[in-house]
Every structure is written in C-alpha cells, then in structure tokens.
C-alpha cells in the first residue's frame, strides 16, 4: 500500500499539468528518434560493447548469470573487471529481442532517453519548465553522446551509470532543498545508488562527490532513523554480489576490479598530449571537442547567473547553480587525475545541460542579460565549434590545442554580421514574440512540436562507428556459425590476430570456443576443422578445404584479406577420429567452473 502511494505521488509530481505530459512525450519521442533509429545498423565494436554483449549472450545461452563469463582472448573465464548490472540488462534485452546488436545497445539508448526526461523534471524543479526543456534538448543533442564511444548508441555501462547516478542526486536534492521530507525520497535515492554501484563499481565515487555538498550543508536532516535504514539496506544490497564473487573467485576478483581497474588506471602512465605531466589522458586539451558545441555556451550561462545573483541577491537560485558547477567540476577533476578515457566525463554532461537550459529559460522569460548571452554564445559556436563550417577564427596552434580545427577565414565577417543581426532582432522584439508564441494554448502542442523539430534538425541518427576489424569479425563469425556444429571451436591464425581482441567474433559466432593456431599448425593439424586465416595462406593449404567467405579489412597501416575456411576430411583415419566437439565443466583449485575443449575433436 505504501509503495502504491509513493508511486502515485511520484506520478503526480512528474505530471503536474497537461503541459508536462505534452512536453515529456515530445522529449521521449525526440530521444527515441536520436537513439533508437538504425541502432542495430552496424556490427558490435570489440571495445567495450563487444565485451559486455558477449558476456550477456553467454548468460542467456549458457546460464552464466551471477558471474558473467566470456572468452578473454581464447580462454573462457569469469569477467571480473566490472560489476554485472549492465550485462544483466543486456541479457534480459536479448531474451526479449534476440541476440543482436540492437538488443545489446537498447539498454544504453533507453537510459539516455530516460536521463533526458529526468533532466526536464530536474530543470523544471530547479528553475522552470523552459529551463527543463532546454536541459533535455541539450542532453539529447550532445554529439559525443550520440556518436562517441560508450555513448547512448553503444552497448555499455556509462549511460546506465549516469541515469542511476542522476536519479540519486535528484532525490537527495529534493530531500534537502524542498519541504518534502518523506522517507520515500531517501529510499529512492538509495535504490538508485545501489543500481549505480552495480553498474560501474568504484566509479560511483564521482556521484558521492556530487552530492557531498548537499549532505554536508544539510547534515542534520540525515540524522534520522529512515537515513539509517536506507544506508544499512543499501550497503547490504551492494555487498551481496561482491561477497559471492569473492567466495568463488578469491583474490583474483580484488586484483581485477580494484587493483587493475581503479589503482592501475589511475597510475597507468603519462600521456604525451596531456597539458599536465603525469596525466593518463589529455582531458584538458580535448575538453573543447568533448563538450562541443554546448561547452562553448557554458561560460555565458555561468556569467548570466553571476550577474543576476549579484543584482538581485538570488540566494536560492545562486546555490543551485553553484552546486551544478561543483557537480561538473568535481567529475572533471576526479577523472582528470584518475581516468584514462574520454567517456569518464559523461556524468559532467548532466550539469552542463542543466546550466545551459537555465540560460535558455532566462532568455525566454525576458532577461536581457540572458538574451545578450545567448547571442554571444551562438556567435562563439558559429566561430569556433568543430561542428560548424571551418572559418578559421583561431590561430592554428591554439586551434589544435583546443581540439578545434582551423580552416579558411572566408565567411568570418559574414558569420559575425548574421549573428549580430539575428540577435538584435530577437532581443528588440522578444516581448511581443513571447506573448504570442508562449501562450497557454500554444505552449502544449506547439511546444511539443518545436521540441521534435529542433532535435531532428540538430541531429541525424548516425550508424555506430566500428572498425574494419570489428566488421570482419562480425561477418566471419556469422558465416561460420551458420555452417558449423554447436560448440565446435574456431581457430584464428595467430599471425592474423596480432594482439587484436576477438570479442566481436566471439559474439557473432554464438560464443563458439576460440583458439589460436600458427600457420604450420593450420596446415598440418588435421583435428582443426574451422579457421579464420589470412587469405594469402589459403593457396598454401594442402589439406582439403573450402572457403566460405573472404573479406578485406584495413586498420591504420595494416591491411589484409581474411578468409573463413572449413577443412574437410582427408582420410578414413581422420574421418573416424573427428567427432562432434563437447565441452565439459571441471572445477579448478580456485573454485571456478572452466569450460575446457575436448582434446579429441
């Protein structure tokens, strides 16, 4: 009964008026357009979505749910580097939609759309509805999210992590910043925290930093019995899976999830492109490109907040923006010194979207300083964004440092003139435009249509970018899977692999056992039946065989023709010795269940 009441109250809070229903529906529809269209149109990438998708498929087809497994290289073993919730959700998706790239990516895409919807409610509660709409639209149209690695159109952990972490931050903010003191808010925040930890493990520390100012500033509100209940229940829920995994895997679990993934990455070496010596990734140098184009609007939004706060002493609004700035800065600083990949900054896209949305809301509501700032921000984006026509406003050295590409100076004065002209017209006539465009009658349907139109104009859903090696693995894995017995091993020519991962091959070949073999072994070992080889080797094979597929791939300076080969029996003795492969489970000294290939294949 209490749960039903809490759900009813949450629904009433989200849909406070008919406008909320219209605008949230439009935001979700726009998000589905950006993140669902052509989602399965390309093969899975090896890193990182191929890893999670392969573990999810293994869970579905072989039952490895509690402790996900996959072929790491050619050895079938537990996947101990990440907590398992993202893999579980992908596995459930595969049960619903089949073992496809679309099924592997739909949880991440859905998390992105839901985060945008949450940002509408978050921005509305922080500021006003227009700000909420702006925040949602900014988030949906961040280029890195819809086109970058581990963004919303790839199967990974990061967008799920951002969704759960943002939900936790929202409920804690509501608990300390409004008159709503219901324990349900604490319980909801705790549940979201548990899900975030089970999605990305120790990275949850970023969201601990995010909410730390709220807890410190209002610490007395957390000295309650519901807080103790929520904290105790959360710790128990978080601890269950690690305790089980440690009992099964032993110290190796600690080595992989903590020593290797956290401590090891924090001290993984110095990137020569980093502006600060000793950093593992050049976050500062590449920040303009990672945040482009909305990152160029951010300083204008913060400037407007500062001006308005000083003029009118907006203590409450000032605190909200200060907290959002802390959110983005704490994430950036934390991962600048401990991270080594660009997608670690994705949690900072949430406060950036809210702050930019605040600027849009202030401009729509008639604040002259905000309107002028919007014009300035628009001009800045036109002039220096890497995603607008190159007009070379920055010197080459500065442009390369900022991640912005220099180009021809042609059109510079024209761009400035157009920006100033449009801005002057809008600022001068805004009061009249606002009274006619933002009437109650227009706001519902007209606002919803505007949301859809703007998002569709800004974004064309791209195919997920995968390398030639990934596509080669996908094509050959599918070709062999359609022609070979279940559980039969696939041998990959060791010279062809050259250290490249094989997760895409593993996924598309239905998780057949993988093994490496040198050229001489492939020529002479008659127990090998199915192989992926360099096409140049095919002519040197004396054993009877047939080629079922040949493709060309290039990766950097490497290029090769790759052939999927099925060897046929060459003698009566061989025909009698070859039988269907089986796999048997044995328990090693650490208690693992390992899958070992029958050597009598």
């Amino acid at each position: 009964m209490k749960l039903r009441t809490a759900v009813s109250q949450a629904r009433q809070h989200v849909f406070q008026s008919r406008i909320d229903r219209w605008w949230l529906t439009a935001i979700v529809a726009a998000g589905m357009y950006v993140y669902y269209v052509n989602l399965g149109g390309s093969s899975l990438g090896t890193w990182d979505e191929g890893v999670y998708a392969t573990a999810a498929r293994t869970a579905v087809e072989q039952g490895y749910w509690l402790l996900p497994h996959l072929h790491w290289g050619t050895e079938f073993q537990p996947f101990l580097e990440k907590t398992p919730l993202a893999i579980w959700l992908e596995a459930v998706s595969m049960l619903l939609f089949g073992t496809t790239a679309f099924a592997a990516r739909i949880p991440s895409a859905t998390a992105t759309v839901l985060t945008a919807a949450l940002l509408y409610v978050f921005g509305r509660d922080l500021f006003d509805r227009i700000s909420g709409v702006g925040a949602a639209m900014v988030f949906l149209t961040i280029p890195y999210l819809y086109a970058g690695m581990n963004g919303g159109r790839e199967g990974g952990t990061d967008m799920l992590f951002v969704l759960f972490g943002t939900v936790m931050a929202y409920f804690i903010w509501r608990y300390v910043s409004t008159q709503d003191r219901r324990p349900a808010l604490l319980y909801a925040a705790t549940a979201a925290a548990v899900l975030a930890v089970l999605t990305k493990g120790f990275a949850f520390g970023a969201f601990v930093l995010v909410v730390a100012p709220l807890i410190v500033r209002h610490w007395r509100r957390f000295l309650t019995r519901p807080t103790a209940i929520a904290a105790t229940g959360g710790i128990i829920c978080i601890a269950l899976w690690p305790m089980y995994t440690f009992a099964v895997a032993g110290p190796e679990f600690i080595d992989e999830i903590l020593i290797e993934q956290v401590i090891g990455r924090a001290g993984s070496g110095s990137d020569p492109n980093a502006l600060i010596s000793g950093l593992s990734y050049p976050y500062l140098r590449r920040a303009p490109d990672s945040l482009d184009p909305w990152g160029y609007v951010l300083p204008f939004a913060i400037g407007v907040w500062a001006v308005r706060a000083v003029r009118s002493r907006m203590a409450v609004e000032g605190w909200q923006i200060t907290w959002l700035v802390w959110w983005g800065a704490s994430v950036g600083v934390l991962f600048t010194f401990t991270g080594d990949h660009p997608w670690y900054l994705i949690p900072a896209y949430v406060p950036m979207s809210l702050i930019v949305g605040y600027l849009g809301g202030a401009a729509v509501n008639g604040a002259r300083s905000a309107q002028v700032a919007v014009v300035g921000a628009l001009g800045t984006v036109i002039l220096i964004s890497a995603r607008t026509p190159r007009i070379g406003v920055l010197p080459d050295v500065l442009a390369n440092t900022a991640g912005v590409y220099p180009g021809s100076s042609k059109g510079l004065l024209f761009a400035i003139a157009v920006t100033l002209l449009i801005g002057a017209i809008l600022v001068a006539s805004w009061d009249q435009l606002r009274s006619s465009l933002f009437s109650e009658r227009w706001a519902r349907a007209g606002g919803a249509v505007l949301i859809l139109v703007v998002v569709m104009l800004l974004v064309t859903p791209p195919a997920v970018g995968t390398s030639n090696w990934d596509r080669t693995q996908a094509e050959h894995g599918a070709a062999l899977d359609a022609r070979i017995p279940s559980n039969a091993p696939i041998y990959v020519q060791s010279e062809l692999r050259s250290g490249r991962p094989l997760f895409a091959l593993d996924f598309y070949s239905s998780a057949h056992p993988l093994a490496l073999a040198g050229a001489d072994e492939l020529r002479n070992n008659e127990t090998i039946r199915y192989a992926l080889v360099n096409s140049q080797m095919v002519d040197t094979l004396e054993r009877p065989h047939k080629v079922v597929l040949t493709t060309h791939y290039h990766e950097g300076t490497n290029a090769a023709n790759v052939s999927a080969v099925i060897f046929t029996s060459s003698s009566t003795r061989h025909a009698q010795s070859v039988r269907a492969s089986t796999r048997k489970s044995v328990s090693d000294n650490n208690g693992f269940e390992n899958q070992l290939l029958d050597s009598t294949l």
Side-chain angles (χ1 to χ4, degrees):
M1 188 63 181
K2 290 184 178 180
L3 178 60
R4 182 181 300 178
T5 301
V7 171
S8 177
Q9 291 174 338
R11 185 167 56 248
Q12 291 173 6
H13 180 80
V14 171
F15 302 109
Q16 295 179 2
S17 73
R18 294 180 65 183
I19 290 180
D20 293 320
R21 295 182 184 274
W22 278 88
W23 288 3
L24 273 172
T25 300
I27 289 168
V28 171
M32 293 175 69
Y33 165 75
V34 175
Y35 291 94
Y36 285 6
V37 172
N38 199 31
L39 186 61
S42 59
S43 59
L44 289 170
T46 288
W47 301 108
D48 287 337
E49 62 175 355
V51 177
Y52 306 127
T54 300
R57 182 166 193 164
T58 304
V60 171
E61 296 181 346
Q62 301 183 37
Y64 289 96
W65 285 87
L66 280 178
L67 189 55
H69 279 59
L70 76 168
H71 288 98
W72 195 267
T74 57
E75 181 182 355
F76 190 74
Q77 64 183 41
F79 180 60
L80 303 174
E81 293 186 358
K82 292 288 190 297
T83 44
L85 182 58
I87 294 172
W88 291 344
L89 293 175
E90 287 191 22
V92 171
S93 178
M94 290 179 188
L95 290 174
L96 297 174
F97 303 109
T99 50
T100 63
F102 175 84
R105 291 168 178 156
I106 197 67
S108 184
T110 302
T112 308
V113 176
L114 292 177
T115 303
L118 174 61
L119 286 181
Y120 167 75
V121 178
F122 208 160
R124 181 199 66 189
D125 292 353
L126 278 167
F127 309 116
D128 54 54
R129 284 189 173 85
I130 301 297
S131 299
V133 168
M137 293 173 65
V138 167
F139 191 78
L140 289 176
T141 57
I142 294 174
Y144 190 89
L145 289 188
Y146 63 75
M149 186 172 180
N150 283 317
R153 291 180 61 86
E154 285 203 0
T157 63
D158 291 86
M159 298 315 303
L160 290 162
F161 173 64
V162 168
L163 171 63
F164 298 138
T166 304
V167 169
M168 180 204 70
Y170 169 71
F171 280 118
I172 289 181
W173 170 82
R174 274 189 60 188
Y175 183 73
V176 301
S177 301
T178 68
Q179 298 302 315
D180 194 346
R181 298 290 185 269
R182 290 175 297 137
L185 296 177
L186 287 176
Y187 300 151
T190 302
V194 170
L195 295 175
V197 174
L198 291 178
T199 299
K200 207 167 170 65
F202 289 100
F204 179 69
F207 280 101
V208 174
L209 285 177
V210 166
V211 299
L214 300 179
I215 296 174
V216 171
R217 191 167 188 251
H218 304 278
W219 60 272
R220 288 186 178 85
R221 297 183 185 178
F222 293 94
L223 300 179
T224 62
R225 185 170 178 270
T227 301
I229 294 173
T232 303
I235 292 172
I236 292 173
C237 291
I238 289 172
L240 289 176
W241 184 82
M243 290 173 61
Y244 166 79
T245 305
F246 183 80
V248 174
E252 184 178 354
F253 171 57
I254 304 299
D255 289 341
E256 292 201 24
I257 199 169
L258 177 60
I259 306 300
E260 178 183 327
Q261 292 296 304
V262 180
I263 299 176
R265 289 195 175 189
S268 59
S270 178
D271 190 302
N273 294 316
L275 291 178
I276 301 176
S277 177
L279 299 184
S280 301
Y281 186 83
Y283 286 103
L284 296 178
R285 185 182 295 274
R286 298 187 181 178
D289 190 55
S290 298
L291 302 176
D292 190 351
W294 300 111
Y296 298 120
V297 183
L298 195 60
F300 291 90
I302 295 175
V304 168
W305 155 71
V307 170
R308 298 183 73 194
V310 170
R311 285 181 178 177
S312 56
R313 298 181 180 180
M314 298 180 298
V316 175
E317 186 173 299
W319 163 247
Q320 316 289 27
I321 296 289
T322 302
W323 174 56
L324 293 177
V325 171
W326 163 264
W327 182 334
S330 62
V331 170
V333 171
L334 173 65
F335 290 121
T336 292
F337 290 97
T338 63
D340 57 359
H341 293 298
W343 53 86
Y344 287 1
L345 293 182
I346 291 179
Y349 292 165
V350 171
M352 180 181 74
S353 300
L354 289 166
I355 294 173
V356 174
Y358 160 79
L359 175 64
V364 169
N365 289 324
R368 285 288 185 263
S369 60
Q371 293 170 349
V372 172
V374 167
V375 175
L378 176 62
T380 301
V381 170
I382 290 175
L383 294 177
I384 67 176
S385 171
R387 292 170 176 84
T388 55
R390 312 289 186 257
I391 54 180
V393 69
L394 296 180
D396 287 4
V397 174
L398 179 58
N400 290 331
T401 298
V404 182
Y405 306 97
S408 162
S409 60
K410 183 179 180 180
L412 173 59
L413 293 178
F414 176 76
I416 295 175
V418 169
T419 302
L420 293 177
L421 177 61
I422 295 175
I425 293 173
L426 288 176
V427 171
S429 59
W430 185 250
D431 289 339
Q432 292 78 12
L433 287 173
R434 185 174 183 271
S435 62
S436 59
L437 293 179
F438 290 89
S439 63
E440 180 70 19
R441 179 178 299 178
W442 185 92
R444 291 197 296 267
V449 171
L450 183 62
I451 291 168
L452 288 170
V453 169
V454 170
V455 171
M456 293 176 71
L457 287 175
L458 290 176
V459 180
T460 298
V464 177
T466 52
S467 70
N468 281 275
W469 177 239
D470 295 333
R471 289 191 290 273
T472 296
Q473 291 183 73
E475 293 171 0
H476 287 272
L480 288 171
D481 184 53
R483 293 171 172 84
I484 67 179
S486 175
N487 291 333
I490 298 173
Y491 287 81
V492 180
Q493 183 181 349
S494 54
E495 296 84 354
L496 177 65
R497 185 192 177 206
S498 300
R500 300 181 186 91
L502 300 172
F503 298 116
L505 176 64
D506 196 14
F507 179 83
Y508 286 99
S509 64
S510 296
H512 281 271
L514 301 178
L516 295 178
D520 290 339
E521 185 178 3
L522 289 167
R523 293 189 185 98
N524 302 315
N525 187 346
E526 294 190 346
T527 64
I528 295 177
R529 295 293 308 281
Y530 313 103
L532 198 65
V533 303
N534 190 311
S535 298
Q536 294 178 346
M537 180 186 172
V538 173
D539 293 336
T540 69
L541 296 174
E542 298 181 356
R543 297 171 54 200
H545 65 274
K546 61 180 180 180
V547 177
V548 297
L549 179 67
T550 296
T551 61
H552 176 79
Y553 94 92
H554 64 274
E555 189 174 40
T557 59
N558 299 319
N561 290 320
V562 181
S563 295
V565 175
I566 297 179
F567 293 99
T568 56
S569 300
S570 60
S571 65
T572 302
R573 176 184 59 79
H574 176 68
Q576 291 174 347
S577 67
V578 175
R579 56 187 174 87
S581 67
T582 58
R583 305 170 86 179
K584 58 184 179 179
S585 296
V586 298
S587 179
D588 65 11
N589 294 332
N590 289 328
F592 291 120
E593 282 196 345
N594 290 319
Q595 298 290 326
L596 300 181
L597 176 68
D598 188 341
S599 61
T600 61
L601 174 72

